[in-house]
Amino acid sequence: MAQVEAAPGIMTTADGQPLKLSLQRALRRSKIRAMLLVAPLFLFILVTFLLPILDMTFRSVENQLVSEILHRSVPLLQQWDEKTGDLPPEDVFQAMVEDFKEGRENRTIGRVGTRLNYEVAGMSSLFRSTARKARRIKEGPYTDALIKANKRWGDVETWRLIKRESGTITLSYYLAAVDLRFGSDGSVQAQPENRQIYVKLFVRTLWLSTLITALCLVLGYPISYLLATLPTRTSNMLMILVLLPFWTSLLVRTTSWIVLLQQEGVINDLLVWVGIIADDARIRMIHNQAGTIIAMTHILLPFMVLPLYSVMKTIPPSYMRAAMSLGANPFTAFMRVYVPNTVAGIGAGGILVFIIAIGYYITPALVGGTSGTLISNFIAYHMQVSLNWGLAGALGAILLAIVLILYLLYDKIVGIDNMKLG
Amino acid sequence: MTVQSGAFVSFKEVQKSYDGETLVVKNLNLDIEKGEFLTMLGPSGSGKTTCLMMLAGFETATHGEIVLDGAPINHVPPHKRDIGMVFQNYALFPHMTVAENLAFPLQVRRMSKADIEQRVQRALDMVQLGPFGGRRPAQLSGGQQQRVAVARALVFDPKLVLMDEPLGALDKQLREQMQYEIKHIHESLEVTVVYVTHDQSEALTMSNRIAVFDDGIIQQLASPDELYELPENAFVAQFIGENNRLVGKVTAENGTHCTIDIAGNAIQALAVNHAGVGSVSTLSLRPERVFINPGDGLCPNVFDARVEELIYLGDHMRTRVNVCGHDDFIVKVPNSAGHVHLKPGETVKVGWQAEDCRALDAPAEAA
């Protein structure tokens, strides 16, 4: 057989094809196979997870409503210098009246009012009442006519607000999400005290999540240790008990906590009956922070136990024995040899519980009362009740950012490769 | 109880049961001298590891007393026993460096920093791992990890060092090398070592004395050569080294010798441990003590044998022959100048001395 001539340095197959090309061809089938296997899940995640997140994040800055509906007056407003303290010129008023007439016909003008009402209270009613009266304005001077319809049109602040919120993107949702707002002069200032809630809620959410994570660790570590050191048959039995909550509806578990913890509930009745507390001094354990902490710790405990268990299972019992044979008393051996080897499990369980807790919604909503609600409850409120999706999006984006930062911190300190989830 | 003088470690009538129904260790009596290298050898489940764990303090004896250096230690917790231990899978702490691993026993003894540093370095040098102190165990090879484990068990100058099948995870070549290293460390430090293994060649290489365990009982306690050449029962003969086993009935006995009948052949053997005339006995005969075509009158036992199989092993030929109805009879024919060349199927004479053929107790399955 003739020797195949090949360019120097390029490996070829027996029939003279470049080896790399041949290898690629051979691997292509398995690559296509892998992609096809992943494709359904990828599409599902894309449609149900990534796109909604992108959409909500976009909504948190998106602000086209005002300029779209007030499409005649907004371009004219751009030429008006709001710093002079004078009202906009007559043509702006005329355009505004026409925008109102069209907006009333299309039933869109109310949305602008709602949007501007997020920034300054009273805007919604201003727009509603003006819309009713605007159709009777037939001729100028439009300035006087509009001010006659509602005297707030004679206030420069109203026009400043419209001009400020006429840009295509806005930061006002993010400012609101951290209890700030734009002042009338366009500078960033704190919300009035009675409207400052979100920073407090973020802090409370972070603090409660930390506390719940710590409680889960304290409660979960010993049981995981027991599970990991018991013989398999016994530990499987106990593991079923740990997993049992997973098989019960979340609502059932949460409501059973209400039954147990409420003031006329099982625990209070028992304490009164035993005589530890007086009948008129029943402890409030539900519909407040305590309820949120108790119920969430219970629900999230398995998420701590499972990673801890899976890590502890891999620690040979000979480590502890070795430490003791080397002269360490059981406590020292445990702290210096066993615990450091479970760091991966503590980290994985901790970050898992914390991230789930920080976004938890149902349990605080049911048992949290007012002092036990978390930020996610307010996100839900703005999604479902106030329909301020921009603010909901901003709050959600901030929450997501906090989680990502914590994740990066974890990666930096513990290393994400060390995480073992099962 | 008073302590017997002389013995450094002694087990006195020690029994151990895990379930309250069967004894894993049955009435163990064992004295270990100071500076001795004693190996507990036996198949898995023979109770040897349990004995070691009782000595280390990780298992409690169900009955009996264990004495270390004159003091009973039954109720001393493991960390106060001052016994170094090398575990089967080394049990090096993966989150510490090699040096930290070695420093651990010294730190828990609250030694000064300078002392610790000096001792750790000395221990590292002893096992030829001087420059490896900063590495993690996972970055070392199996043999290096093994050495660290040995060094860690020795670094705090324990009264006694226990080793639980420490070489089991190594490949054959490394295992042999480590056997010599451990033996040399033992000799140079004059430390008392109790070693557990199921590998007989390991036991023969390293030990001063070997305790052969089976079924929770020490079958024989002797030096390696005695154990190999003078096994006291069928289990030891079979377990240590290669052994031809012939089972027959004792027909006559005169003092030190006896006659065994196997398939109509009368075999002269050394009476060691049989149950008397009429009983079943196992004959133990080392393959290297059998001669092919011995000269007339040299051996009292000469029989016809058909060559069944030849296996070439370089220094010797392993020859399987059929003798007295046993077709698993092995003869080692040394590959020396002018040795007999055998062919499968041919019939030759094989013979052996009565002294090399030991009449022992009946085999377990026939008892």
Side-chain angles (χ1 to χ4, degrees):
Chain A
M1 233 176 104
Q3 192 68 36
V4 179
E5 288 290 318
I10 296 177
M11 296 288 283
T12 58
T13 58
D15 57 354
Q17 302 261 8
L19 196 58
K20 276 196 175 157
L21 201 75
S22 183
L23 182 68
Q24 266 173 19
R25 210 168 289 157
L27 290 179
R28 192 174 300 149
R29 264 183 73 91
S30 63
K31 270 188 193 160
I32 290 173
R33 205 178 98 91
M35 276 198 275
L36 283 176
L37 287 173
V38 171
L41 179 63
F42 177 74
L43 284 175
F44 181 79
I45 298 264
L46 187 75
V47 171
T48 61
F49 189 70
L50 292 177
L51 290 181
I53 287 180
L54 281 177
D55 181 64
M56 285 310 289
T57 316
F58 177 65
R59 274 171 200 272
S60 67
V61 292
E62 185 252 353
N63 198 32
Q64 282 166 338
L65 187 78
V66 175
S67 55
E68 231 172 65
I69 291 166
L70 306 179
H71 62 94
R72 290 188 189 82
S73 45
V74 163
L76 294 173
L77 259 179
Q78 303 308 317
Q79 286 142 35
W80 170 62
D81 183 5
E82 71 270 27
K83 295 197 179 73
T84 56
D86 297 332
L87 283 174
E90 169 73 7
D91 58 341
V92 175
F93 278 84
Q94 184 183 358
M96 184 60 82
V97 170
E98 269 155 43
D99 282 336
F100 261 93
K101 283 177 180 166
E102 187 189 319
R104 185 175 158 80
E105 232 156 77
N106 300 341
R107 299 173 181 280
T108 52
I109 198 71
R111 281 157 56 191
V112 180
T114 311
R115 168 69 190 88
L116 294 175
N117 203 57
Y118 296 153
E119 311 299 327
V120 175
M123 281 294 144
S124 189
S125 62
L126 167 68
F127 271 67
R128 252 183 284 119
S129 70
T130 312
R132 275 198 308 275
K133 292 170 185 164
R135 71 192 157 120
R136 286 198 294 269
I137 303 172
K138 297 277 186 321
E139 54 196 9
Y142 291 95
T143 310
D144 299 335
L146 208 54
I147 290 171
K148 200 178 147 224
N150 193 314
K151 63 177 188 303
R152 290 189 74 163
W153 291 111
D155 186 353
V156 184
E157 294 300 326
T158 309
W159 294 98
R160 279 182 181 156
L161 175 67
I162 292 170
K163 183 171 177 184
R164 200 180 72 228
E165 292 304 332
S166 61
T168 47
I169 60 166
T170 179
L171 279 177
S172 53
Y173 292 124
Y174 279 96
L175 289 181
V178 291
D179 290 341
L180 298 174
R181 63 171 185 178
F182 284 114
S184 55
D185 56 349
S187 67
V188 176
Q189 51 180 242
Q191 291 272 21
E193 208 125 309
N194 60 345
R195 293 190 66 179
Q196 289 183 7
I197 45 171
Y198 299 115
V199 169
K200 211 173 81 191
L201 269 174
F202 271 118
V203 170
R204 183 198 286 166
T205 305
L206 289 172
W207 154 240
L208 284 187
S209 300
T210 313
L211 184 68
I212 287 163
T213 309
L215 280 173
C216 281
L217 182 63
V218 169
L219 294 174
Y221 202 93
I223 195 75
S224 311
Y225 178 76
L226 187 69
L227 282 173
T229 45
L230 278 178
T232 317
R233 258 182 53 198
T234 335
S235 77
N236 279 349
M237 263 293 292
L238 278 174
M239 190 49 115
I240 288 172
L241 293 182
V242 170
L243 292 178
L244 206 58
F246 273 146
W247 305 342
T248 321
S249 153
L250 184 70
L251 277 173
V252 171
R253 278 186 284 157
T254 307
T255 41
S256 54
W257 276 117
I258 300 178
V259 172
L260 283 173
L261 296 179
Q262 64 188 332
Q263 277 182 297
E264 302 296 323
V266 178
I267 291 177
N268 267 315
D269 281 350
L270 204 67
L271 290 177
V272 170
W273 184 70
V274 172
I276 294 174
I277 55 170
D279 196 22
D280 53 356
R282 286 167 176 262
I283 306 167
R284 240 178 94 91
M285 290 180 286
I286 202 95
H287 300 307
N288 57 11
Q289 236 174 59
T292 302
I293 293 168
I294 293 172
M296 277 180 68
T297 303
H298 170 238
I299 286 159
L300 296 177
L301 198 55
F303 293 96
M304 181 64 88
V305 171
L306 289 177
L308 274 177
Y309 169 75
S310 76
V311 167
M312 287 177 177
K313 197 77 191 158
T314 64
I315 300 177
S318 62
Y319 284 5
M320 281 290 278
R321 288 184 162 188
M324 283 192 269
S325 81
L326 293 171
N329 63 45
F331 180 76
T332 312
F334 186 78
M335 293 310 288
R336 289 204 47 197
V337 174
Y338 198 85
V339 174
N341 279 301
T342 60
V343 165
I346 295 174
I351 201 162
L352 198 63
V353 169
F354 188 85
I355 287 178
I356 296 176
I358 210 174
Y360 225 74
Y361 161 66
I362 296 180
T363 304
L366 287 176
V367 302
T370 42
S371 64
T373 42
L374 302 181
I375 194 73
S376 46
N377 299 110
F378 267 79
I379 295 177
Y381 169 79
H382 287 303
M383 288 297 295
Q384 295 165 345
V385 182
S386 80
L387 300 183
N388 188 352
W389 287 17
L391 183 55
L395 289 169
I398 291 175
L399 198 59
L400 185 63
I402 292 175
V403 169
L404 287 179
I405 288 169
L406 284 169
Y407 180 85
L408 289 176
L409 272 178
Y410 177 85
D411 187 30
K412 198 120 195 160
I413 297 166
V414 184
I416 211 72
D417 303 334
N418 291 331
M419 189 146 109
K420 281 187 189 151
L421 289 178
Chain B
M1 254 194 230
T2 51
V3 178
Q4 230 177 333
S5 63
F8 184 60
V9 179
S10 64
F11 289 85
K12 289 174 185 166
E13 294 170 1
V14 171
Q15 292 181 315
K16 173 71 184 174
S17 172
Y18 287 106
D19 54 6
E21 284 166 17
T22 49
L23 284 172
V24 184
V25 176
K26 301 169 183 163
N27 199 25
L28 177 78
N29 285 292
L30 175 61
D31 287 339
I32 302 167
E33 302 298 320
K34 200 174 174 88
E36 191 175 19
F37 194 120
L38 182 119
T39 298
M40 296 177 172
L41 175 67
S44 54
S46 60
K48 57 189 194 307
T49 301
T50 306
C51 286
L52 195 76
M53 289 301 167
M54 285 193 287
L55 190 49
F58 299 124
E59 301 285 356
T60 49
T62 314
H63 174 80
E65 193 175 42
I66 302 170
V67 176
L68 171 64
D69 200 12
I73 53 168
N74 286 39
H75 299 292
V76 178
H79 64 276
K80 288 183 182 155
R81 291 195 180 190
D82 210 20
I83 294 176
M85 185 151 178
V86 181
F87 289 82
Q88 209 161 3
N89 291 310
Y90 320 140
L92 298 177
F93 307 139
H95 60 293
M96 298 181 188
T97 64
V98 168
E100 285 165 349
N101 263 287
L102 293 185
F104 183 83
L106 309 176
Q107 282 165 355
V108 297
R109 286 179 171 73
R110 308 205 180 285
M111 286 193 182
S112 75
K113 260 213 169 103
D115 255 13
I116 290 176
E117 215 164 286
Q118 190 197 341
R119 274 174 176 249
V120 165
Q121 198 52 48
R122 206 170 44 189
L124 279 174
D125 291 339
M126 178 184 74
V127 293
Q128 291 133 46
L129 286 174
F132 291 89
R135 297 226 191 152
R136 302 253 164 182
Q139 294 167 307
L140 301 180
S141 70
Q144 290 169 331
Q145 291 183 20
Q146 174 58 57
R147 289 184 199 165
V148 176
V150 171
R152 190 179 65 176
L154 290 165
V155 71
F156 58 100
D157 294 332
K159 290 180 189 162
L160 177 66
V161 176
L162 309 181
M163 300 192 184
D164 182 15
E165 309 213 12
L167 307 180
L170 302 180
D171 61 55
K172 189 170 177 291
Q173 215 173 350
L174 206 52
R175 197 158 61 217
E176 281 167 9
Q177 189 194 334
M178 283 306 298
Q179 286 171 16
Y180 293 119
E181 282 191 28
I182 291 176
K183 190 177 161 79
H184 293 152
I185 287 171
H186 166 249
E187 281 163 5
S188 62
L189 296 183
E190 293 171 345
V191 63
T192 314
V193 177
V194 179
Y195 192 99
V196 161
T197 184
H198 62 265
D199 181 339
Q200 43 128 338
S201 73
E202 213 166 280
L204 294 175
T205 310
M206 304 165 80
S207 322
N208 299 126
R209 280 195 303 163
I210 299 172
V212 180
F213 274 72
D214 187 46
D215 200 23
I217 292 170
I218 294 184
Q219 302 287 338
Q220 189 170 352
L221 173 64
S223 61
D225 52 338
E226 202 177 315
L227 210 57
Y228 184 81
E229 285 168 31
L230 308 170
E232 276 170 7
N233 58 40
F235 176 81
V236 175
Q238 193 65 27
F239 195 74
I240 308 282
E242 201 171 5
N243 178 52
N244 284 311
R245 205 174 67 156
L246 302 166
V247 180
K249 205 167 243 166
V250 183
T251 53
E253 188 178 5
N254 57 349
T256 54
H257 288 67
C258 61
T259 309
I260 313 282
D261 175 80
I262 294 170
N265 302 295
I267 298 177
Q268 301 299 315
L270 196 66
V272 180
N273 187 20
H274 63 74
V277 174
S279 67
V280 175
S281 169
T282 309
L283 287 179
S284 156
L285 181 58
R286 297 293 179 195
E288 66 272 20
R289 296 294 171 92
V290 179
F291 304 103
I292 304 278
N293 296 333
D296 284 340
L298 284 175
C299 300
N301 299 302
V302 178
F303 301 98
D304 281 340
R306 198 174 72 244
V307 178
E308 300 279 350
E309 195 180 7
L310 291 165
I311 298 166
Y312 182 75
L313 286 169
D315 61 334
H316 72 272
M317 298 280 282
R318 220 174 108 90
T319 312
R320 185 162 67 84
V321 299
N322 189 329
V323 164
C324 306
H326 288 73
D327 67 349
D328 55 355
F329 193 91
I330 304 292
V331 182
K332 278 186 186 170
V333 182
N335 191 1
S336 53
H339 72 91
V340 260
H341 288 274
L342 300 171
K343 280 191 245 7
E346 77 176 307
T347 303
V348 291
K349 293 235 178 267
V350 295
W352 59 86
Q353 300 291 344
E355 280 69 29
D356 292 332
C357 180
R358 298 168 67 81
L360 306 173
D361 54 337
E365 57 265 37

